[in-house]
Amino acid sequence: WELFWTANVFSLVLSMYLLVAGRVRRGKNWFKSHSLWEDFWIGPELNPHLFGVDLKFFAYRPGMLGWLAINMSFAWLQYETYGSVSSRMWAYQIMTGWYVIDYFVHETRMTSTWDIVAENYGFMLVWGMYVWAIFLFSIQNLFLWTNTTAMPWWEAAGTATLFLTGFTIFRGCNSQKHRFKMDKDCLIWGQPAQSIKGKLLVSGYWGYARHVNYLGDLTLAVAYSLPCGFRSVLPWFYFCYLLLLLLHRDRRDERKCGAKYGELWEQYCLTVPYRIVPWVY
């Protein structure tokens, strides 16, 4: 609990600093620009820096490492309590550990993601990375550390297949988008990248759905929860939260992209009619 409350206090202090520093740097009348609440919650700046460090981009590091540390501490707790680590705990640790390691391997590709290029940095993202991601994403551990029942082979195989499918979509579509932003003439699935006016990618995964990366995220969330079983809905909190978040973000992205690209976005929607799940939604 000490770590939890410390992270909350730190998030609040950092958000207050971002509010004041952002408004000072912006140099506008404090009461005639955005509301104080909006600048506190969403943030007054896109990529604020402190001592040369991009605070938003940096926040992913303690967020990811904190999530990994919490996960590993529960695995150690199970080992200390029962003398071994269950197959269910191993499955969860391997999947989430793989995800965190992959983040650091491909960290530079985060520079082309929506959070970095479009979301201001305020309390919403600060608290999200320093508290929510660390302490809430690891909620499955509360049910795994006391569950020593072995996973049958078919359950392990199904979980692994789902994880690998979700990871392939997640890493594949984000890598394709990053390559396209770096080089409009790149190859995707062995073919020259196709786009609308060189701005909106319609090749590879992005030819199937406009926010296909969300499908990868959701598939991974299901895989993380499967080792917990279905005795309680709480281990599925992460998936339910992510589903609501991404559905909301999908609608918000559609509005922002429509305003940004205009007729190009309308043409893109005709070319790629599905939003997240191909042939479904």
Side-chain angles (χ1 to χ4, degrees):
W1 283 108
E2 289 84 357
L3 286 174
F4 176 76
W5 290 116
T6 300
N8 274 277
V9 172
F10 173 79
S11 297
L12 181 60
V13 172
L14 177 57
S15 300
M16 292 300 297
Y17 164 78
L18 294 172
L19 171 66
V20 175
R23 285 190 160 232
V24 169
R25 280 192 288 261
R26 194 163 57 196
K28 294 182 179 180
N29 187 297
W30 277 47
F31 299 99
K32 291 186 178 180
S33 53
H34 296 90
S35 69
L36 283 172
W37 171 250
E38 182 180 356
D39 274 352
F40 172 75
W41 182 259
I42 298 178
E45 295 181 297
L46 182 63
N47 293 104
H49 286 68
L50 180 63
F51 302 120
V53 176
D54 186 324
L55 295 176
K56 180 168 63 172
F57 190 69
F58 172 80
Y60 284 87
R61 294 184 176 184
M64 288 291 181
L65 291 175
W67 182 31
L68 181 64
I70 293 291
N71 291 341
M72 294 178 66
S73 68
F74 273 96
W76 179 252
L77 175 63
Q78 186 181 61
Y79 177 78
E80 281 194 324
T81 304
Y82 299 102
S84 63
V85 177
S86 70
S87 56
R88 295 182 182 277
M89 179 65 84
W90 271 118
Y92 177 79
Q93 295 293 332
I94 291 172
M95 290 187 293
T96 54
W98 185 341
Y99 183 90
V100 172
I101 292 171
D102 174 79
Y103 167 81
F104 285 100
V105 171
H106 300 101
E107 186 179 32
T108 55
R109 299 181 183 181
M110 278 295 296
T111 56
S112 59
T113 61
W114 180 263
D115 283 353
I116 298 298
V117 302
E119 295 277 17
N120 279 15
Y121 192 49
F123 182 78
M124 181 177 68
L125 289 183
V126 171
W127 191 82
M129 287 307 302
Y130 285 104
V131 180
W132 189 263
I134 296 175
F135 296 97
L136 274 298
F137 284 9
S138 56
I139 194 171
Q140 292 93 341
N141 289 290
L142 296 175
F143 299 85
L144 287 173
W145 83 271
T146 57
N147 188 348
T148 57
T149 306
M151 292 181 74
W153 70 267
W154 53 267
E155 185 178 347
T159 301
T161 300
L162 194 64
F163 170 76
L164 291 174
T165 300
F167 183 81
T168 299
I169 297 172
F170 163 80
R171 176 48 54 209
C173 65
N174 282 303
S175 295
Q176 289 176 357
K177 180 174 65 174
H178 182 76
R179 288 203 306 273
F180 176 72
K181 288 193 174 184
M182 296 297 103
D183 178 13
K184 305 299 183 183
D185 298 319
C186 68
L187 298 179
I188 293 181
W189 289 350
Q191 301 293 327
Q194 298 181 6
S195 65
I196 297 178
K197 303 295 184 180
K199 294 185 177 181
L200 298 168
L201 181 63
V202 294
S203 289
Y205 291 103
W206 299 97
Y208 288 97
R210 301 194 294 274
H211 308 289
V212 68
N213 52 320
Y214 296 169
L215 177 61
D217 291 328
L218 291 170
T219 306
L220 287 172
V222 172
Y224 297 156
S225 300
L226 278 177
C228 300
F230 300 93
R231 295 182 179 179
S232 173
V233 71
L234 288 180
W236 294 86
F237 168 81
Y238 172 55
F239 168 74
C240 294
Y241 152 77
L242 193 63
L243 177 62
L244 295 176
L245 173 71
L246 294 181
L247 287 175
H248 175 266
R249 177 172 287 189
D250 164 67
R251 295 180 180 276
R252 188 175 57 168
D253 292 355
E254 291 284 321
R255 290 194 300 270
K256 287 188 174 183
C257 290
K260 179 179 180 180
Y261 295 107
E263 292 183 1
L264 288 182
W265 186 256
E266 295 179 8
Q267 183 181 348
Y268 179 53
C269 292
L270 292 175
T271 305
V272 186
Y274 299 102
R275 293 189 173 199
I276 300 176
V277 184
W279 306 292
V280 177
Y281 172 75

